[in-house]
C-alpha cells in the first residue's frame, strides 16, 4: 500500500525453532532466518509499504503447544498473513493430531481476517524424507493435502530441499536447523506467494 493510503501490514511467522532462527542450538541467528529474509525481500518488492514480519517461533514447540498461545502471539498482532511452520516437531504427534491442530490454526487465522500459509518441513539430516513412510515425508504429504483441501497457499520447503542439486549439508547449521543458505531456499518458496494478484 502506497502513500498516502498506506498502513502497517503485519506478517507473523508462527512455529518452532526454524522460524525462531535457531542455528546450532542454543544459538539464535534471527538475521539469517527466513522471517527476516522474507521481510528484506518484500521490502525490495514493495518499497512503499510498511511491512513487519513478526517472529513468533518457540524452539522445541509442536502445534499442540502452539495452539495455546495462538491468540496472544499471533492474532493479537492483527496480521494480514500468518506463516504456519510446525512440521519438524509435529513428528512427535500423530498425523491426525497434527492435522487437527493445523486445521484449527487455519480456522482461527481466517476468522481473524488473515491469510494462512502452510509450510512443509525443512530438511533433517537424520531423517529419510525421500522414503514415503518417513515421518518427515508423511508430515509433508499431510500438509500438502491439507493445503489443497482447505485452499491454503503452500510453501513447499521440503520439496525445495529434496530437489537441491549439491551437498545438502551446505544448507544446514545442524542436523535439523537450516543455515542462511537453507533459509534462503525457504524464502524462494514464500516470495512468489506475495506476488501482486496472488
Amino acid at each position: 500500500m502506497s502513500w498516502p493510503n498506506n498502513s502497517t501490514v503485519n506478517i507473523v511467522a508462527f512455529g518452532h525453532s526454524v522460524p525462531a532462527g535457531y542455528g546450532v542450538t542454543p544459538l539464535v541467528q534471527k538475521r539469517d532466518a527466513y522471517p527476516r529474509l522474507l521481510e528484506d525481500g518484500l521490502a525490495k518488492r514493495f518499497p512503499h509499504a510498511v511491512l513487519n514480519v513478526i517472529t513468533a517461533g518457540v524452539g522445541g514447540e509442536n502445534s499442540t503447544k502452539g495452539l495455546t498461545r495462538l491468540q496472544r502471539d499471533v492474532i493479537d498482532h492483527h496480521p494480514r498473513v500468518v506463516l504456519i511452520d510446525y512440521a519438524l516437531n509435529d513428528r512427535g504427534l500423530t498425523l491426525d493430531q497434527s492435522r487437527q491442530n493445523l486445521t484449527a490454526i487455519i480456522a482461527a487465522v481466517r476468522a481473524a481476517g488473515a491469510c494462512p500459509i502452510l509450510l512443509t518441513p525443512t530438511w533433517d539430516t537424520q531423517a529419510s524424507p525421500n522414503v514415503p513412510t518417513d515421518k518427515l515425508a508423511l508430515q509433508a504429504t499431510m500438509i500438502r493435502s491439507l493445503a489443497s483441501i482447505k485452499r491454503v497457499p503452500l510453501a513447499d520447503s521440503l520439496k525445495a530441499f529434496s530437489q537441491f542439486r549439491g551437498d545438502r549439508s551446505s544448507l544446514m547449521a545442524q542436523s535439523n536447523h537450516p543455515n542462511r543458505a537453507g533459509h534462503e531456499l525457504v524464502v524462494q518458496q514464500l516470495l512468489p506467494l506475495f506476488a501482486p494478484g496472488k
Side-chain angles (χ1 to χ4, degrees):
M1 288 182 275
S2 295
W3 178 271
N5 299 313
N6 62 325
S7 62
T8 301
V9 176
N10 287 337
I11 299 164
V12 178
F14 183 48
H16 47 42
S17 55
V18 174
Y22 280 86
V24 178
T25 307
L27 184 65
V28 178
Q29 296 172 298
K30 264 185 81 171
R31 292 179 182 273
D32 291 334
Y34 74 77
R36 176 62 178 264
L37 299 176
L38 176 64
E39 183 171 317
D40 291 345
L42 290 174
K44 290 177 184 175
R45 182 171 291 180
F46 304 105
H48 302 125
V50 182
L51 294 163
N52 298 310
V53 178
I54 300 163
T55 301
V58 172
E61 185 176 83
N62 61 31
S63 60
T64 298
K65 292 180 180 178
L67 271 169
T68 67
R69 64 184 183 89
L70 178 64
Q71 181 67 44
R72 181 193 71 222
D73 290 352
V74 178
I75 305 301
D76 286 352
H77 286 294
H78 307 288
R80 291 281 295 278
V81 176
V82 177
L83 314 177
I84 305 165
D85 186 357
Y86 275 110
L88 277 176
N89 289 1
D90 272 9
R91 288 177 293 176
L93 304 175
T94 65
L95 275 177
D96 187 56
Q97 185 62 64
S98 179
R99 185 186 300 106
Q100 287 181 35
N101 292 345
L102 295 177
T103 299
I105 293 168
I106 289 166
V109 167
R110 283 179 163 162
C115 174
I117 294 177
L118 287 170
L119 287 85
T120 61
T122 48
W123 199 256
D124 186 333
T125 62
Q126 297 179 353
S128 301
N130 295 320
V131 177
T133 55
D134 179 83
K135 285 189 173 184
L136 206 62
L138 290 171
Q139 275 288 322
T141 298
M142 180 273 289
I143 290 168
R144 292 176 189 127
S145 173
L146 185 62
S148 177
I149 291 166
K150 296 295 182 182
R151 300 177 67 86
V152 171
L154 175 71
D156 202 337
S157 305
L158 187 61
K159 182 178 178 182
F161 276 84
S162 296
Q163 294 179 343
F164 178 74
R165 295 181 180 180
D167 181 1
R168 269 188 218 98
S169 66
S170 69
L171 304 173
M172 306 302 294
Q174 65 179 41
S175 64
N176 61 342
H177 291 156
N179 59 20
R180 184 184 181 96
H183 281 280
E184 286 172 347
L185 212 57
V186 178
V187 172
Q188 290 171 20
Q189 311 312 304
L190 286 166
L191 274 174
L193 301 178
F194 292 86
K198 287 284 184 182

